[in-house]
Amino acid sequence: MRWQTTRFDLTFERPMVMGIVNATPDSFSDGGRHAGVTGAIAHAERLVKDGAGILDIGGESSRPGAPILSVDEEWSRIEDLLREVLRWQVPISVDTWKPEVMRRALDLGVDIINDIHALETPGALAAVAAHPRCGVCLMHMVGIPETMQQQPQYDDVVRQVKAYLAERVAAAQSAGMERARLCLDPGVGFGKTPAHNLALLEHQKVLSEAGLPLLVGWSRKSTLGEVTGRPVGERLAASLAAALGAVRQGAQVLRVHDVAETVDALKVWGAAGLLA
Ligand code: YH5
């Protein structure tokens, strides 16, 4: 299993931890503490020291009700941060669905485009395919963040997520991208009830049948709040349990806020031979 990205060929002898860096002043899960570029850089530095193998930089919140930013506004939140972290020899992913933000980020040299719309936005496939080797994460979502949590319905959520991702892989390949550049993500919490999200964890191995790396993001999400009854600031233990569950079910990349704790949990599994 490998994931080709701009500067790094990722192999997955061990699962990797992708650290979340929000450059959003309105970010719901860090209360805007990393609003300034300096704060975001310090936070990113911490995550790398803690063992993050990838940094995921996002400028626009995908929370329902969060405003859609202009390209210039989104770019102004991430540009200086990207210029700094790109000097660190750590794979850099950019969480964006806007083709023009993708182009600017790729021109700076970022390694991965992480698109919650799986390159469905007009122009996104072309923006990424124009680059010779950047990596892409294709995530499943039904609808758009504004409305996605209104009555999500599936006949068979696992089959439908799998079929959707297969269709997006085909679209990427038709645009000229090699499979080795692609990674898949079931999109925990994006147009799904807690039961849907939990079914995707139980049956996650079905999604691995595509033969591409799987990235999953359970960190602090509301399904964990539903299961434990805890608010977003008290979901660390639940997030670790879900992350290890995802690894057991075949995930290669874990997108998390709490990098140090997730790396420790993986070290224990590794020491016990559970990652072999
Ligand atoms: C993801 O799963 N998620 S942004 C609600 C929370 C906590 C966190 C209420 N971008 C993903 O992280 N990209 C986001 O608690 C993502 N996969 C990929 N590839 C939402 C988020 C969050 C939402």
Side-chain angles (χ1 to χ4, degrees):
M1 187 86 65
R2 66 186 262 266
W3 191 10
Q4 179 192 311
T5 77
T6 302
R7 296 174 297 169
F8 304 90
D9 232 337
L10 307 179
T11 56
F12 300 104
E13 279 105 64
R14 289 277 178 275
M16 288 184 91
V17 175
M18 168 187 265
I20 300 169
V21 183
N22 288 317
T24 56
D26 61 330
S27 166
F28 45 81
S29 73
D30 68 8
R33 280 185 291 114
H34 311 299
V37 180
T38 324
I41 291 172
H43 184 63
E45 221 169 355
R46 171 86 262 150
L47 298 185
V48 172
K49 289 203 176 95
D50 287 345
I54 307 175
L55 292 176
D56 187 40
I57 313 284
E60 180 178 277
S61 170
S62 57
R63 176 170 45 80
I68 290 183
L69 303 177
S70 69
V71 165
D72 286 332
E73 172 67 10
E74 184 177 339
W75 184 245
S76 76
R77 290 184 182 187
I78 62 175
E79 178 179 2
D80 292 349
L81 177 56
L82 288 179
R83 288 184 189 276
E84 176 61 28
V85 298
L86 280 166
R87 302 166 49 203
W88 298 354
Q89 295 308 312
V90 174
I92 302 303
S93 154
V94 175
D95 190 342
T96 190
W97 53 269
K98 297 192 189 86
E100 181 57 26
V101 174
M102 293 176 185
R103 262 191 292 276
R104 292 182 190 185
L106 290 169
D107 284 347
L108 276 191
V110 305
D111 300 286
I112 294 162
I113 298 296
N114 172 26
D115 183 3
I116 63 168
H117 289 277
L119 305 179
E120 283 203 71
T121 310
L125 269 174
V128 168
H131 191 281
R133 53 178 289 120
C134 71
V136 179
C137 178
L138 300 169
M139 195 196 81
H140 174 272
M141 170 167 57
V142 168
I144 57 170
E146 189 64 39
T147 53
M148 66 188 177
Q149 290 308 102
Q150 296 167 11
Q151 314 251 347
Q153 284 181 12
Y154 300 85
D155 293 320
D156 180 338
V157 67
V158 179
R159 289 284 141 210
Q160 286 172 255
V161 167
K162 184 180 185 184
Y164 171 84
L165 292 173
E167 184 266 310
R168 297 315 301 157
V169 169
Q173 289 190 277
S174 298
M177 300 185 65
E178 289 170 50
R179 276 179 82 83
R181 295 173 58 181
L182 307 176
C183 173
L184 306 181
D185 184 337
V188 174
F190 287 87
K192 295 161 189 101
T193 64
H196 293 139
N197 293 316
L198 294 164
L200 285 163
L201 180 53
E202 181 180 354
H203 302 289
Q204 191 189 279
K205 286 203 164 159
V206 172
L207 303 178
S208 306
E209 289 165 8
L212 296 176
L214 272 191
L215 184 159
V216 286
W218 276 93
S219 187
R220 301 183 187 173
K221 282 186 179 166
S222 63
T223 293
L224 302 176
E226 291 278 334
V227 171
T228 61
R230 297 198 184 272
V232 64
E234 298 173 14
R235 295 178 188 162
L236 173 57
S239 298
L240 294 174
L244 289 179
V247 167
R248 195 188 75 168
Q249 303 289 66
Q252 278 72 33
V253 184
L254 304 170
R255 182 181 179 276
V256 309
H257 301 87
D258 303 287
V259 170
E261 293 84 351
T262 308
V263 168
D264 275 2
L266 289 170
K267 279 183 182 167
V268 173
W269 271 35
L274 295 171
L275 295 177

